[in-house]
Amino acid sequence: MNTAADRPAQAEQSNAGVRTAKLLIDGKFIESTTQEWRDIVNPATQDVVGRVPFATKAEVDAAVASAAKAFQTWRLTPLGTRMRLMLRFQDLVRQNMKRIAQTLTAEQGKTLPDAEGDIFRGLEVIEHACSIGTLQQGEFSENVAGGVDTYTLRQPIGVCAGITPFNFPAMIPLWMFPMAIVCGNTFVLKPSEQDPLSTMELVELAIEAGIPAGVLNVVHGGRDVVDAICTHPDIKAISFVGSTHVGTHVYNLGSQHGKRVQAMMGAKNHAVVLPDANREQTLNALAGAGFGAAGQRCMATSVVVFVGASKDWLPELVERARGLSVNGGTEANTDVGPVVSRAAKERILGLIEAGVKEGATLSLDGRDVKVEGYEKGNFIGPTVFSGVTTDMTIYKQEIFGPVICVLEAATLDDAIALVNRNPMGNGVGLFTQSG
């Protein structure tokens, strides 16, 4: 098994002894020439674990030019060759999962088991990409009209780009570039500037697996790099996951420049609890879905709608939340780690304060949680609001922290109507024993 020490491009240290995130352009890991850098900070300790460059326009252009050039030959590469690269890639990811999880926890804050789960969910997509031989098949219909046959082909479209968020720095990049590449496209990836090191370790494995120069490229940065991707004439499609504000900007700007854009943005996931549900299983599921990964999941259950008599379960939900362990991500039996940054913590605290001011009942207050040995960490303990109404800020906005809002409904129909009125939506869980 190769280790980070065997890969000098990514293990290399800056002059100050701090690891730097490299750019990947035309098959080479290179140090950016930019003057704009950002520290990568461990959320539990505030230690600087690395530095990330905000790439220059010339570097973005070079990455796209490399991808455009590589597309001319990569698109003609046989399916079997592309598939075998994915087989090698998934094997390398499997071998190196624990090492990458350590990096992911250090820069993002989620617990080690959660970090391994982050990588594993991405690994499942690479495994799916290994089925490209059948996934890429078209269709043929004979004699659809007199003397007319029709057929469809699945063909790559060119240079694609991915803009990924901080909360799943392994899974979400792996949603994007393996499938794009195995289908014959080339790719430019912009990871989150908050935690790019684990993403780069996965990219490193992709290159080790044999992905040719230019087929996969990586640039780092903020809005200027995002805008360069959205407006570059050689990029044909963009995939985005992140906040509603940024996603709307990416969708509008990319679409205006003739690109296919898929933008997955803010969510407000509800759980509807009926009185006949299995009480123990339901409460455990709500605590895990609401507070796991410190609530920083796209699919976090941030709203619980108790229907009828199930409202009496609120005290037990609060006790489940109170019993969760808040600690650094590397400690055994940790349930809730830190949120990703001080800015995120301040935003979440501001929303909790808004909930209090607008009249919600703070049934469990996690604002003053103290974690021994991590006094500087970005910790917020599990927090539960009850008496929430749909006009409150904590209901209307995505909190993206370890906060659950509890509402009540008289009937299932009332609960369904409540959920459907919310402008955001990713998923709804329905807890009942009645199929």
Side-chain angles (χ1 to χ4, degrees):
M1 182 178 75
N2 290 326
T3 66
D6 298 322
R7 303 186 184 93
Q10 277 305 113
E12 185 178 321
Q13 307 290 306
S14 69
N15 291 336
V18 175
R19 180 179 176 186
T20 57
K22 306 297 186 291
L23 308 177
L24 174 61
I25 299 176
D26 200 26
K28 299 181 181 67
F29 291 100
I30 62 172
E31 199 81 73
S32 175
T33 60
T34 186
Q35 298 302 305
E36 187 178 357
W37 291 78
R38 175 175 176 159
D39 288 342
I40 304 165
V41 178
N42 183 318
T45 64
Q46 304 306 317
D47 292 339
V48 175
V49 297
R51 301 182 75 224
V52 59
F54 281 37
T56 66
K57 184 179 185 304
E59 288 167 341
V60 176
D61 289 344
V64 178
S66 170
K69 179 182 176 183
F71 178 67
Q72 301 308 314
T73 51
W74 181 245
R75 65 192 297 270
L76 303 175
T77 303
L79 286 175
T81 301
R82 295 185 226 151
M83 177 195 70
R84 283 187 287 274
L85 289 177
M86 290 299 143
L87 286 168
R88 288 197 287 273
F89 184 29
Q90 64 87 23
D91 184 52
L92 287 169
V93 172
R94 198 180 302 277
Q95 291 179 43
N96 290 275
M97 185 180 296
K98 289 189 180 298
R99 171 179 63 81
I100 299 171
Q102 292 278 351
T103 300
L104 200 160
T105 293
E107 63 178 349
Q108 200 276 344
K110 63 177 64 176
T111 66
L112 280 172
D114 218 358
E116 289 189 31
D118 187 335
I119 299 163
F120 183 76
R121 292 303 180 202
L123 176 62
E124 290 181 317
V125 179
I126 308 173
E127 292 170 340
H128 183 60
C130 295
S131 302
I132 193 61
T134 52
L135 295 173
Q136 195 80 342
Q137 290 177 354
E139 298 173 338
F140 184 87
S141 298
E142 186 177 15
N143 207 33
V144 295
V148 177
D149 300 335
T150 67
Y151 65 93
T152 61
L153 301 174
R154 297 183 185 275
Q155 296 181 333
I157 60 172
V159 181
C160 302
I163 301 167
T164 60
F166 75 84
N167 59 327
F168 283 89
M171 180 184 77
I172 296 178
L174 292 176
W175 280 356
M176 297 182 185
F177 74 79
M179 292 306 302
I181 286 171
V182 81
C183 289
N185 302 286
T186 54
F187 206 82
V188 177
L189 174 66
K190 194 211 83 69
S192 169
E193 65 276 16
Q194 296 190 74
D195 50 9
L197 298 177
S198 49
T199 307
M200 292 309 299
E201 290 182 1
L202 290 164
V203 167
E204 209 172 53
L205 296 179
I207 298 303
E208 187 176 327
I211 290 177
V215 172
L216 175 61
N217 303 270
V218 182
V219 292
H220 303 287
R223 177 163 182 154
D224 288 347
V225 173
V226 168
D227 287 355
I229 288 171
C230 290
T231 58
H232 199 292
D234 290 339
I235 292 177
K236 305 302 181 187
I238 301 169
S239 188
F240 170 89
V241 178
S243 71
T244 300
H245 172 71
V246 178
T248 301
H249 172 74
V250 168
Y251 184 84
N252 289 336
L253 187 60
S255 298
Q256 288 163 10
H257 286 81
K259 304 180 193 325
R260 305 181 188 188
V261 183
Q262 57 178 8
M264 291 161 276
M265 304 182 286
K268 204 72 177 176
N269 305 301
H270 292 62
V272 176
V273 181
L274 300 187
D276 72 325
N278 182 297
R279 198 162 179 150
E280 190 74 14
Q281 290 179 349
T282 300
L283 291 169
N284 287 338
L286 294 177
F291 304 119
Q296 298 174 123
R297 290 177 178 149
C298 309
M299 294 303 300
T301 296
S302 54
V303 179
V304 176
V305 184
F306 283 127
V307 178
S310 67
K311 66 183 180 182
D312 297 335
W313 301 6
L314 174 63
E316 291 178 69
L317 175 61
V318 170
E319 286 311 302
R320 285 284 198 297
R322 197 191 309 276
L324 296 175
S325 170
V326 182
N327 212 330
T330 57
E331 278 70 24
N333 302 314
T334 299
D335 298 307
V336 181
V339 297
V340 71
S341 67
R342 284 180 171 172
K345 180 178 179 179
E346 290 305 312
R347 181 184 56 77
I348 296 164
L349 292 176
L351 285 166
I352 294 173
E353 184 62 29
V356 172
K357 288 181 178 178
E358 292 175 16
T361 300
L362 194 53
S363 299
L364 180 62
D365 188 350
R367 290 177 291 182
D368 294 325
V369 66
K370 299 290 190 294
V371 181
E372 187 176 350
Y374 294 101
E375 286 75 16
K376 297 180 180 178
N378 307 320
F379 293 98
I380 299 176
T383 299
V384 179
F385 275 109
S386 58
V388 177
T389 59
T390 56
D391 59 346
M392 291 179 177
T393 303
I394 53 173
Y395 179 77
K396 293 189 292 184
Q397 291 189 23
E398 184 178 33
I399 300 175
F400 224 60
V403 182
I404 284 180
C405 297
V406 176
L407 290 83
E408 296 176 8
T411 67
L412 175 59
D413 286 342
D414 291 337
I416 292 171
L418 184 155
V419 172
N420 286 340
R421 283 196 301 271
N422 190 282
M424 291 191 285
N426 250 7
V428 179
L430 179 62
F431 291 87
T432 178
Q433 294 190 69
S434 171

